[in-house]
């Protein structure tokens, strides 16, 4: 099948392209870019991207799908549907399911369920240790053969430096990046929010920034010791960003991600006791948010990722102390990241880079760009699209978000996976008129 995404403005930072082009796709792969005036390829269906930004498909490298084990919160199919509705063509599934993805059978199950659903590409992340219990390394090689793209014990971070060193050495042998949720549990001590002014005022147990920073520094030092690829998840503090900046300066293979809620909200949001503001790492104070924005701006931060963490409303209806950590994020993340562009923090090219360079972090060489023979995964953006988020219209099975009713400017309006339109914003149905016409003419 031939498809021409015509008359859009292509932003492809990996190739340094920032200009009006059409994208020609055949059989799920990119054939090449064409000028707007060029003769369209024969028999191609047409998507009219006039006035839209055409970007390589956005990748969210940090997502919790709850299958297997907690399908009442999210399934692989509902999570993948939510992903494409949010503009993502690929997502990575964290391994803290029930059972934990610590073996090839679970890895294969996740991939098969995702293929059956047919929305976003789903790349599983395997556990570092068996059952993520921190004591015995998982069979990384077998999981890699089955399709994992990284290893992580997200949520139950590897407790000791000695174990993390062995994990990095082992993962490095399979050229797998090690993703760590940086949290020293002996410092976090069961805290439920950021330790600072607001935790004192509200009388809640706090998690100090140091709990993240001690672990982030540990991991950077171990990256130096082992030479492994190390990726620090959802960084939320100034000291952690600084640790990554230093590690990069010394040439270590350290990368990091930041989540939209961490720069959009601060710990003062907890004062209403809305459990949708409870996440780990927690919402922080101004100085930390400023450091995240600086890292997003200056290139220290490699990727934005949602840490999409669905929970049932009954669980989030518990008292703040008792409620689980996390929020859904797939359908608000691109809108929140447009705030950075409209606010003058980053430009559009950097925005696309932050949502696509996970391909580089994970070694997915045929994704994250629109070069010849890349997978035909594309995200079409309208930076001016004004919209309001209604969680009850969400494709996710869960509704735990602090952004219900929030107004946004900028959206992903079409999501194309493998040359197939898998999501189209209802106000933009005009863009596929050429596709439908071509299809009905056959
Ligand atoms: Zn985490
Ligand atoms: Zn997570």
């Amino acid at each position: 099948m031939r498809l021409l995404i015509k008359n859009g403005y292509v932003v492809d930072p990996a190739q340094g392209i920032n200009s009006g082009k059409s994208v020609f796709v055949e059989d799920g792969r990119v054939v090449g870019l064409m000028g707007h005036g060029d003769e369209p390829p024969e028999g191609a269906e047409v998507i009219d991207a006039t006035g839209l930004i055409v970007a390589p498909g956005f990748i969210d490298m940090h997502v919790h799908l709850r299958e297997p084990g907690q399908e009442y919160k999210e399934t692989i199919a509902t999570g993948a549907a939510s992903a494409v509705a949010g503009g993502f063509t690929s997502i990575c599934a964290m391994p803290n399911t029930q059972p934990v993805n610590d073996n090839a059978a679970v890895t294969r199950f996740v991939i098969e369920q995702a293929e059956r659903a047919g929305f976003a590409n789903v790349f599983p992340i395997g556990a570092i240790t068996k059952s993520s219990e921190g004591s015995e390394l998982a069979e990384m090689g077998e999981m890699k053969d089955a399709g994992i793209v990284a290893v992580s014990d997200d949520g139950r971070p590897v407790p000791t430096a000695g174990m993390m060193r062995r994990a990095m050495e082992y993962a490095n042998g399979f050229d797998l990046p090690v993703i760590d949720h940086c949290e020293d549990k002996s410092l976090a001590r069961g805290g439920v929010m950021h330790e600072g002014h607001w935790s004192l005022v509200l009388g809640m147990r706090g998690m100090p920034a140091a709990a993240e920073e001690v672990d982030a520094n540990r991991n950077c030092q171990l990256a130096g010791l082992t030479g492994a690829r190390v990726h620090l998840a959802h960084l939320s503090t100034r000291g952690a960003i600084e640790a990554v900046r230093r590690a990069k300066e010394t040439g270590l293979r350290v990368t990091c991600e930041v989540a939209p809620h961490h720069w959009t909200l601060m710990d003062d949001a907890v004062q209403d006791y809305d459990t949708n503001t409870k996440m780990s790492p927690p919402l922080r104070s101004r100085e930390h948010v400023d450091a995240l924005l600086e890292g997003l701006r200056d290139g220290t931060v490699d990727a934005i990722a949602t840490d999409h963490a669905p929970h049932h409303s009954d669980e989030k209806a518990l008292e703040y102390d008792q409620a689980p950590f996390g929020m859904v994020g797939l359908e608000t993340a691109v809108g929140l990241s447009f705030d950075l562009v409209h606010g003058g923090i980053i430009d559009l090219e950097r925005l696309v880079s932050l949502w696509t360079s996970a391909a580089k972090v994970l070694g997915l060489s045929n994704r994250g760009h629109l070069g010849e023979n890349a997978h035909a995964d594309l995200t079409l953006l309208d930076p001016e699209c004004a919209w309001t988020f209604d969680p009850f219209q969400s494709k996710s099975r869960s509704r735990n978000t602090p952004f219900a009713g929030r107004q946004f400017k900028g959206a992903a309006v079409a999501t194309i996976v493998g040359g197939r339109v898998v999501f189209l914003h209802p106000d933009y149905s005009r863009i596929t008129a050429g596709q439908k016409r071509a299809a009905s003419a056959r």
Side-chain angles (χ1 to χ4, degrees), residues 49 52 184 265 328 386:
L52 301 179
D184 184 312
L265 298 173
V328 291

Side-chain angles (χ1 to χ4, degrees), residues 247-268:
K248 288 187 169 192
E249 280 165 9
T250 51
L252 300 180
R253 298 201 291 170
V254 173
T255 53
C256 73
E257 73 195 25
V258 163
H261 49 268
H262 281 133
W263 79 68
T264 304
L265 298 173
M266 288 189 281
D267 57 349
D268 62 346

Side-chain angles (χ1 to χ4, degrees), residues 187-201:
L187 284 167
R189 313 172 303 137
V192 298
M193 66 177 294
H194 174 61
E195 181 181 302
H197 170 77
W198 281 104
S199 66
L200 271 173
V201 169

Side-chain angles (χ1 to χ4, degrees), residues 62 64 94 154 234 307:
H62 194 137
H64 297 272
M94 278 293 172
D154 183 47
H234 46 48
D307 198 9

